[in-house]
Amino acid sequence: MWRLKVGEGGGDAWLRTKNGHVGRQVWEFDPDAGDLDTLAAVDAARREYTTAGRHRLKHSADILMRIQFTKENPLMLNPPAIKLEENQDVTEEAVSASLKRAISRFSTLQAHDGHWPGDYGGPMFLMPGLLITLYVTGALNTVLSSEHQKEIRRYLYNHQNEDGGWGLHIEGPSSMLGSALTYISLRLLGEGPDSGDGSMKKGRNWILDHGGATYIPSWGKFWLAVLGVFDWSGNNPMTPESWMLPYCLPIHPGRMWCHSRMPYLPMCYVYGKRFVGRLTSLIMELRDELYKVPYSEIDWDNARSICAQEDLFYPRPLIQDILWATLRKFIEPVMMHWPGNKLREKALNHVMQHVHYEDENSQYICIGPVNKVLNMLACWIEDPNSEAFKLHIPRIHDYLWVAEDGMKMKCYGGSQLWDTAFTVQAIVATGFIDEFAPTLKLAHNYIKNSQVLEDCPGDLSYWYHHISKGGWSFSTADHGWPVSDCTAEGLKAALLLSKISPEIVGEPMEVNRLYDAVNILMSWMNENGGFSTYELTRSYAWLELIGPSETFSDTMIDYPYVELTSAAIQALTSFKKLYPRHRREDVDNCINKAAKYIESSQRSDGSWYGSWGVCFTYGTWFGVKGLVAAGRTFNNSLAIRKACDFLMSKELPFGGWGESYLSCQDQVYTDLEGKRVHAVNTGWVMLTLIDAGQAERDPTPLHRAAKVLINLQSEDGEFPQQEIMGVLTKNCTMSYSQYRNIFPIWALGEYRRRVFVAGKK
C-alpha cells in the first residue's frame, strides 16, 4: 500500500537539506501496510475513478491521502451537516456550523510539520521527460519500482481522451505533444503497441491521423531526439555560445524568465553534445510506430518547422525562420569543426558550471520539474558516475504524487507554503481562532521554518540570480527560489499570527526576519510599479518574437502581474500598520506605485486577467483586494465600481459563479459547461464583493452565494473537488487541490464576520 511520508529524508546519504526536510512530501510503497478494509477502500476509489469519473471529472480528489489521514488524524469534532432548502434563508448559525465542520475536517488533512499536502499535477508533458531521462541513463528500473511504474501507467491510461489522444493537460483536448510523449512513455514502461485493451492502438492512430510525430512541437522534438526517435537535424539550434554573449544585450538568456532560462540552460548542453540514447530494439520499434513514412525517408528539414494545429497556440513569426536558418546554416557548421569547436567546448563547460550552481543551491530539487530532469540528464552526459547525478536521484521522488487516478509528476515540489499561508488567513478570517488553535500553531511553525534565510553564494549577477534572503518559495526552504507573491502571502500570514497570543499560536517571527521579508519584497517592484515572479523584468516583451515554443505564451521574460502586485500591496500595508517607522517612505512609495499599476492593467470591461488562476474571477479578486488595501473604496474608485459591475454581470441565475479554464486560453470570460457553479470561483467573488462593500449596498448576492457554498458542502465537511483552478502560460492548467476548502472557508468566514456580525453591530 502507498503511504505518504512527510518531512523525512529516509536516511539517504545523497539527500541534502537546510531545515531537516520540512515540507518534503514523498510517497513510498509498503507491501505490508494497510488492513483489508483500507485496501478495499483504495481499490474502490481507483475503480470508481477509472470506470465512472475520469471523463466526467479529470481532477483527482486525493482519496488515497484522505484514507491515510483519516486513520492518522481522526476527526474529533463533527457538527451535523447543514442543507438549506430553497425557501430557507442563510442564518449565522448555519454559516458557523458549516465553517466549523469544514475547518475541523480540513485540520485532519494537515501534516505534522504544519502544511497541507496535496495533488499539484495537471500538465501531461512532465512525466515523459523524466521517463525518457531515466531510460537513456539506464536508471528507469532502478529509480522507479514496479509499483511506481504500475501507478504511472494507471495515470497515463486514466487521462487518455475518448478520441484516443492525450492533452497538454488533464482537462485539455488531445494534442500532438501530449499524445506522442504519453504513448512513448507507456512503451518505455513496458506496454506493447496493442496493450491497454486497445488504448495504445487508439493513441497511435490519433498520432498518425494527425500527421505523425514529425508534427510534435519543439519541446517534443527535443525529447524525441534525446531518445533516438527524431533526428537532431529536425530541431532548431539551441546554441550554448549564447550564454557567453555580453549581458548588456537584451537577448542574453540570463535576461529570460527563470522558468524558461533554467530549462534552456541544460537543453543547450544536450543539444551542443547532440546526445542520443542507446538505440535499443524498443527505439527501433518506436521509429516505425510514430511516423506515417519509413524513418529513413523523413524530411527532417521540413519536420523542423511543422507543428500540429492542435498544438499551435503561438505560430512562429518570420523573424524566427530567419534566425533559425542563420544559426543552422552558418553558425552551427562552424561550431562543429576546428577552431569553432574550441569555443563550443568552452561554452559547454560554462553552461555546466551554471547547471551545477542551480543544483547545489536548490538541494538538487531545481526550480521545477522540467529543468530538474534536464539538469539530471546533463549531469549524466557530462559524467555518468558523477556525484551530481547521484544527488539528483532521490529528489525525483519529491515530484511524484499518488492519488486514485495514479502517479503523476507535480508542477513543483508542491504548493506547501502557498496553501499554508492562504489557510492561515482563511481560518483567522472566520474568527474561530481559539477553537482551531492547534491547527494555526502548526501552520505558524511551518511558515517560520520555511523562510529562506540567506542569499545564494557568490556574485549573484554572474549567476543571474535575484537576492533570496527573507523570502518564501512556493513550496519549501530547500527549494530555495523565493517568489514575490509567496513572500507576500507568507509575510501576511506571519503578521496576522503575530497579533494573536503566543499561548495560542506560538511565538511570533523575529522582527529582523520580517524586515528581511519586506526588503526582498520591495526589491521585486519594477519601474512601472508591477511585481514580477522571481526576478525583475530584465528585457523587453518583443523578445517573445524569438520565443522557440509554439505551445506556451509569454514565457520569455518575467512579466509583472496583477496578482503578485496586489499581494505585495496587501503585505506592505499590513506590515506598515504594525511597524509604521520601518522604511516608511520606501513602503509608501511602493504601495502607491503598485496601486497605480493595478489600475492601469484593468481591462475595459472592469475585470483583471488572472495569469495564475482561473481566471477573471481570480484576477479581479486580487485587483480589487490590492486597491482596497491601498486605500481605495467603492465610492472613490471607478476601477472598483467597474470590477463589481463585471462580477455581478457573471453571477449565475441561482447564485454563485463558475468559470472555465477556457477563459484563460481564449481571454474571454467563459462559464463552466452547463453554467455550473464552482465553489472556488464563488469564494473568490464573495471575497472581492465583501472587500468592495457589497454588504452595505445590497447583500443579496452574498446571501445567495453563501447558500450555494453551504449546500455544496459534503457530508464529511469538505467542499467537493471540481474542475481544475490553476493555470500557467494561458493554456496549461495545474491543480491546486487545497483550494476546494481554503476559499469556501475564507469566503464564508468573511461573510459571517463582516456581513452578519457587522450587520448586528
Side-chain angles (χ1 to χ4, degrees), residues 84-90 647-659 669 671-679 681-682 686 699-712 722-723:
L84 299 173
E85 300 296 332
E86 186 175 346
N87 60 350
Q88 280 185 286
D89 291 331
V90 180
L647 292 174
M648 290 308 305
S649 74
K650 306 304 178 186
E651 185 187 19
L652 296 171
F654 47 83
W657 288 260
E659 189 175 5
Y669 188 97
D671 289 313
L672 285 171
E673 186 178 353
K675 290 189 176 294
R676 287 175 288 106
V677 72
H678 198 295
N681 297 127
T682 299
M686 283 184 70
T700 306
L702 298 173
H703 295 324
R704 284 196 295 261
K707 186 173 182 177
V708 165
L709 288 182
I710 290 170
N711 285 337
L712 278 173
Q722 297 171 280
E723 287 79 4

Side-chain angles (χ1 to χ4, degrees), residues 481-507:
W481 278 87
V483 193
S484 63
D485 57 348
C486 301
T487 298
E489 299 299 343
L491 178 58
K492 284 165 61 183
L495 291 168
L496 264 180
L497 293 167
S498 74
K499 296 190 287 185
I500 302 171
S501 168
E503 295 181 1
I504 298 174
V505 297
E507 293 297 322

Side-chain angles (χ1 to χ4, degrees), residues 204-378:
R204 185 169 65 256
N205 286 342
W206 191 97
I207 294 166
L208 296 176
D209 288 345
H210 291 79
T214 49
Y215 282 84
I216 198 168
S218 56
W219 275 41
K221 287 176 167 61
F222 172 89
W223 279 119
L224 268 59
V226 167
L227 187 59
V229 296
F230 201 96
D231 198 88
W232 275 113
S233 64
N235 279 259
N236 285 313
M238 289 169 274
T239 54
E241 292 77 20
S242 62
W243 291 89
M244 301 181 71
L245 292 171
Y247 185 77
C248 61
L249 295 176
I251 61 170
H252 190 286
R255 295 182 175 274
M256 293 165 60
W257 183 39
C258 52
H259 273 293
S260 290
R261 180 175 81 239
M262 301 316 295
Y264 179 61
L265 181 72
M267 288 172 82
C268 286
Y269 183 82
V270 178
Y271 175 82
K273 289 284 190 177
R274 300 296 198 278
F275 171 79
V276 178
R278 191 164 60 90
L279 298 182
T280 63
S281 59
L282 174 57
I283 301 306
M284 304 311 289
E285 291 172 15
L286 284 170
R287 287 182 173 187
D288 290 335
E289 295 167 20
L290 293 170
Y291 301 102
K292 300 187 73 170
V293 300
Y295 190 79
S296 60
E297 296 177 15
I298 294 173
D299 182 349
W300 295 112
D301 277 341
N302 181 60
R304 185 169 46 249
S305 58
I306 59 176
C307 178
Q309 284 299 314
E310 291 79 4
D311 299 70
L312 192 60
F313 287 94
Y314 308 101
R316 288 174 177 162
L318 177 62
I319 189 173
Q320 280 201 38
D321 294 334
I322 297 171
L323 173 63
W324 305 136
T326 301
L327 291 172
R328 186 178 72 254
K329 293 181 179 180
F330 302 108
I331 304 300
E332 278 301 306
V334 172
M335 295 301 163
M336 299 298 288
H337 303 90
W338 189 90
N341 59 1
K342 295 297 183 183
L343 180 60
R344 170 61 50 94
E345 184 179 349
K346 184 176 181 181
L348 291 172
N349 290 335
H350 179 76
V351 164
M352 283 308 297
Q353 186 184 26
H354 281 263
V355 166
H356 292 312
Y357 185 85
E358 152 71 346
D359 289 344
E360 291 162 7
N361 285 287
S362 64
Q363 316 308 310
Y364 289 81
I365 298 170
C366 301
I367 195 172
V370 176
N371 90 302
K372 159 67 183 174
V373 296
L374 286 166
N375 278 19
M376 184 168 68
L377 175 61

Side-chain angles (χ1 to χ4, degrees), residues 78-82 91-104 432 710 713 717 752:
N78 190 21
I82 299 290
T91 64
E92 184 184 349
E93 291 72 22
V95 176
S96 296
S98 177
L99 281 168
K100 288 180 179 179
R101 289 180 65 232
I103 304 172
S104 296
F432 298 133
I710 290 170
Q713 192 171 22
R752 171 188 172 274

